[in-house]
Structure formats: structure tokens, C-alpha cells
């Protein structure tokens, strides 16, 4: 494996894959290391709840936070292995708007006993306004069948 491949954040690999979530959200990796991760996305119409106001479903922010925070866990652990969200608490200050450029920033607060504590924010790129915040707990080293095998 070349050194340039080794420097790619695991989240960056995931966000460039053909995973249905990544294709739907068109996540763009901005920066990341083992302590922080920043991603950009334009709010897609798939989450539109009010055509007149352009308001998006708050689930967009929740999904974005869970995905980016989980991606950070992959960059924070020494050996790549399965992870699972075991707890996620979100607070929504306002909903994203149709076509709004969003930044999602995650920070690793710490890892102990195969559990990672991550915090995150969804921010309006144009104004810096915080739209949503989250704190999450992620189990490291989970073992289960892929979702496709269970559904």
C-alpha cells in the first residue's frame, strides 16, 4: 500500500464509495484526522417537507450528524473495524433549507473501553449559524450481518 493511500481518512474513502446514503447526500470531505472531521453537503430535495418555505426534514441533520460522527470514529481508531451507534442525542435549532450549503463538523471527545464519545454540529455554510448539535456514543468492534442480509 502506498503512503498516499495510507493518508486518506477512512471517512473520505467511505464518502467516495457507491453507498446509497453517500450517493443521496453527495457528501464532500473537507478535512479530517483522528480528532476531527469536516464534511460539506448541499441539502437535497429528497428531504424537503415544505415546498413553499423550502424547509427540509430535521432528519437530514440527524442523518448527517450520525454519518459524519461515525466516520470520525473510523479515523480515530487504530485498527479499522466495524462500529455501531449506541446512543445519539440531537438538538435542532432550525431546519435546513432547500439547496442550503451545510457543514457538518465532528470532534472526538475520547475513547474508553471500546466506546467513542463524539460531538458534532450542522452549520449553515453561508452564515456560520449552528442548525443542530449532537452528542453520540459509538461501540467499536461490533459484529453483525450487513443490513442487506437482515432485511
Amino acid at each position: 500500500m502506498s503512503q498516499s493511500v495510507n493518508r486518506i481518512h477512512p471517512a473520505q474513502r467511505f464518502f467516495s464509495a457507491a453507498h446509497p446514503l453517500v450517493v443521496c447526500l453527495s457528501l464532500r470531505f473537507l478535512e479530517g484526522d483522528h480528532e476531527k472531521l469536516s464534511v460539506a453537503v448541499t441539502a437535497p430535495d429528497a428531504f424537503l417537507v415544505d415546498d413553499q418555505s423550502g424547509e427540509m426534514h430535521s432528519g437530514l441533520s440527524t442523518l448527517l450528524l450520525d454519518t459524519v460522527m461515525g466516520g470520525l470514529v473510523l479515523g480515530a481508531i487504530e485498527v479499522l473495524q466495524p462500529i455501531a451507534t449506541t446512543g445519539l442525542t440531537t438538538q435542532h435549532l432550525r431546519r435546513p433549507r432547500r439547496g442550503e450549503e451545510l457543514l457538518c463538523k465532528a470532534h472526538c471527545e475520547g475513547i474508553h473501553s471500546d466506546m467513542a464519545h463524539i460531538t458534532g454540529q450542522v452549520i449553515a455554510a453561508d452564515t456560520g449559524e449552528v442548525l443542530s448539535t449532537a452528542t453520540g456514543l459509538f461501540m467499536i468492534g461490533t459484529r453483525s450481518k450487513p443490513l442487506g442480509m437482515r432485511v
Side-chain angles (χ1 to χ4, degrees), residues 8-29 74:
I8 294 174
H9 194 282
Q12 188 173 9
R13 285 191 193 135
F14 176 70
F15 297 154
S16 64
H19 189 283
L21 172 65
V22 175
V23 172
C24 175
L25 290 181
S26 300
L27 301 172
R28 296 179 307 280
F29 178 88
L74 296 176

Side-chain angles (χ1 to χ4, degrees), residues 130-145:
V130 175
L131 306 185
S132 298
T133 63
T135 183
L137 198 58
F138 295 81
M139 183 184 296
I140 301 166
T142 62
R143 295 197 186 2
S144 79
K145 294 180 182 176

Side-chain angles (χ1 to χ4, degrees), residues 3-148:
Q3 283 188 336
S4 62
V5 172
N6 287 335
R7 288 190 209 132
I8 294 174
H9 194 282
Q12 188 173 9
R13 285 191 193 135
F14 176 70
F15 297 154
S16 64
H19 189 283
L21 172 65
V22 175
V23 172
C24 175
L25 290 181
S26 300
L27 301 172
R28 296 179 307 280
F29 178 88
L30 299 176
E31 65 176 336
D33 57 28
H34 66 282
E35 292 181 359
K36 63 186 179 311
L37 178 62
S38 296
V39 172
V41 65
T42 302
D45 281 355
F47 291 87
L48 186 65
V49 293
D50 185 346
D51 193 46
Q52 192 170 31
S53 71
E55 267 194 354
M56 309 303 279
H57 193 282
S58 59
L60 169 60
S61 291
T62 301
L63 183 61
L64 186 57
L65 284 159
D66 187 40
T67 302
V68 174
M69 291 164 64
L72 175 54
V73 174
L74 296 176
I77 57 181
E78 292 183 25
V79 177
L80 197 57
Q81 54 190 310
I83 64 165
T85 307
T86 60
L88 182 68
T89 302
T90 57
Q91 300 293 324
H92 303 292
L93 303 167
R94 91 158 161 81
R95 294 175 182 214
R97 295 184 184 105
R98 171 192 272 152
E100 186 170 32
E101 184 72 12
L102 306 172
L103 303 176
C104 186
K105 297 183 177 190
H107 183 264
C108 181
E109 302 296 334
I111 298 175
H112 181 73
S113 297
D114 293 328
M115 300 296 281
H117 178 222
I118 310 293
T119 56
Q121 295 181 323
V122 173
I123 301 164
D126 288 346
T127 64
E129 176 186 8
V130 175
L131 306 185
S132 298
T133 63
T135 183
L137 198 58
F138 295 81
M139 183 184 296
I140 301 166
T142 62
R143 295 197 186 2
S144 79
K145 294 180 182 176
L147 183 59

